[in-house]
C-alpha cells in the first residue's frame, strides 16, 4: 500500500483558515491602507487561484515560504496596497501558526500501525520540499511505520509523475495489481495510480463525493484513513 501524508495521515490544511485570520489580524497595526478583513478576503481569492494551476502548484509547494509571500503580496496588490516588509512578516507568521496547528488526523497513525501489524507492506509517498516534509515525518515519528519514505523534494520528482509510483513499486517488489494507493487527491492519489494499474482508495473528508465535472472513479471512497480498520474496504472486489 502506498500512502499519502498530507490530509491523509496529517491534518495539513485544517489549520489554514484560522492561521490566515490570526496572521492578518496580528499585523493590523502595519496596514494603513487596508483592513485585515479585506486582506483576508483577498488572500482567500488569490490562494484559490494560486494553487489551482498544476505547474504553479509544483513550484509553490517546493518553496512554501516564497509561495506564501507571493500570495500575501498579490492579495495586497489586488486591494491597491503595498505592505512592504509586512508582506514577509505576515507570510512567516502564517506558516508558523499553521505548522503549530499541524497534527495527525484522528486514529490515522493507529490505523497505519494496524495496517503494518496486519502484514501490509507500506510506503509513504508525499509531495513537497525536502526539509519541511522530512520534519513532519520526524516530528510524528512516522518513518518507523514504512519500508520506504519518498519525498518529492528529496527524490527530484513527485506525484503525478509515473516515476515516483514506479520507484515505490520497485522498492517493495510489488506488482501494480496487488497494490493500493490511498490519498485525498483525485489526480495524484487516484487517477494516475489507476492508469498504472494500481487500485485507488480516495479519502473524501468533506463527504461531497467526486465533483460532477471529474470523470475519476476511485475503487473505494472513505471519509478518513481510520475507516480502513472498521469496514471491509480492503476486501477483494
Ligand atoms: Mg494529500
Amino acid at each position: 500500500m502506498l500512502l499519502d501524508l498530507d490530509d491523509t495521515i496529517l491534518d495539513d490544511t485544517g489549520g489554514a483558515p484560522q492561521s490566515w485570520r490570526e496572521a492578518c489580524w496580528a499585523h493590523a497595526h502595519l496596514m494603513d491602507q487596508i483592513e485585515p478583513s479585506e486582506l483576508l478576503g483577498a488572500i482567500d481569492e488569490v490562494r484559490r487561484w494560486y494553487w489551482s494551476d498544476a505547474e504553479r502548484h509544483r513550484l509553490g509547494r517546493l518553496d512554501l515560504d516564497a509561495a506564501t509571500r507571493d500570495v500575501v503580496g498579490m492579495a495586497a496588490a489586488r486591494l491597491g496596497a503595498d505592505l512592504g516588509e509586512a508582506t514577509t512578516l505576515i507570510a512567516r507568521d502564517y506558516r508558523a501558526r499553521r505548522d503549530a496547528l499541524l497534527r495527525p488526523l484522528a486514529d490515522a497513525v493507529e490505523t497505519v500501525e494496524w495496517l503494518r501489524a496486519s502484514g501490509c507492506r507500506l510506503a509513504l509517498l508525499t509531495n513537497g520540499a525536502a526539509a519541511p516534509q522530512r520534519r513532519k515525518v520526524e516530528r510524528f515519528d512516522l518513518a518507523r511505520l514504512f519500508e520506504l519514505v519518498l519525498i518529492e523534494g528529496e527524490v527530484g520528482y513527485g506525484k503525478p509523475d509515473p516515476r515516483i509510483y514506479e520507484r515505490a513499486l520497485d522498492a517493495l517488489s510489488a506488482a501494480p495489481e496487488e497494490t493500493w494507493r490511498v490519498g485525498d487527491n483525485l489526480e495524484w492519489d487516484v487517477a494516475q495510480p489507476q492508469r498504472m494499474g494500481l487500485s485507488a482508495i480516495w479519502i473524501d473528508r468533506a463527504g461531497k463525493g467526486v465533483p460532477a465535472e471529474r470523470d475519476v472513479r476511485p475503487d473505494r471512497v472513505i471519509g478518513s484513513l481510520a475507516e480502513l480498520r472498521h469496514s471491509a474496504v480492503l476486501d477483494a472486489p
Side-chain angles (χ1 to χ4, degrees), residues 94-180:
Y94 163 75
R95 295 247 58 103
R97 289 175 189 274
R98 187 160 155 186
D99 191 53
L101 289 173
L102 180 71
R103 48 188 48 99
L105 287 156
D107 218 17
V109 173
E110 292 80 356
T111 300
V112 181
E113 287 169 344
W114 173 82
L115 285 165
R116 189 180 165 95
S118 307
C120 192
R121 305 189 56 206
L122 302 171
L124 185 70
L125 261 72
T126 177
N127 274 357
Q133 292 307 88
R134 182 54 69 176
R135 262 201 304 278
K136 290 180 192 173
V137 170
E138 286 170 1
R139 175 172 162 190
F140 298 104
D141 193 22
L142 299 175
R144 68 190 166 90
L145 298 169
F146 297 92
E147 289 182 42
L148 178 72
V149 174
L150 294 180
I151 296 173
E152 179 181 27
E154 291 181 353
V155 177
Y157 45 83
K159 304 172 287 181
D161 187 323
R163 290 177 295 172
I164 197 84
Y165 312 92
E166 281 161 5
R167 184 159 168 161
L169 293 173
D170 280 352
L172 295 178
S173 304
E177 59 274 12
E178 60 182 9
T179 306
W180 292 97

Side-chain angles (χ1 to χ4, degrees), residues 4-8 159 184-185 189:
D4 173 45
L5 177 65
D6 291 325
D7 294 315
T8 292
K159 304 172 287 181
D184 65 297
N185 185 295
D189 303 320

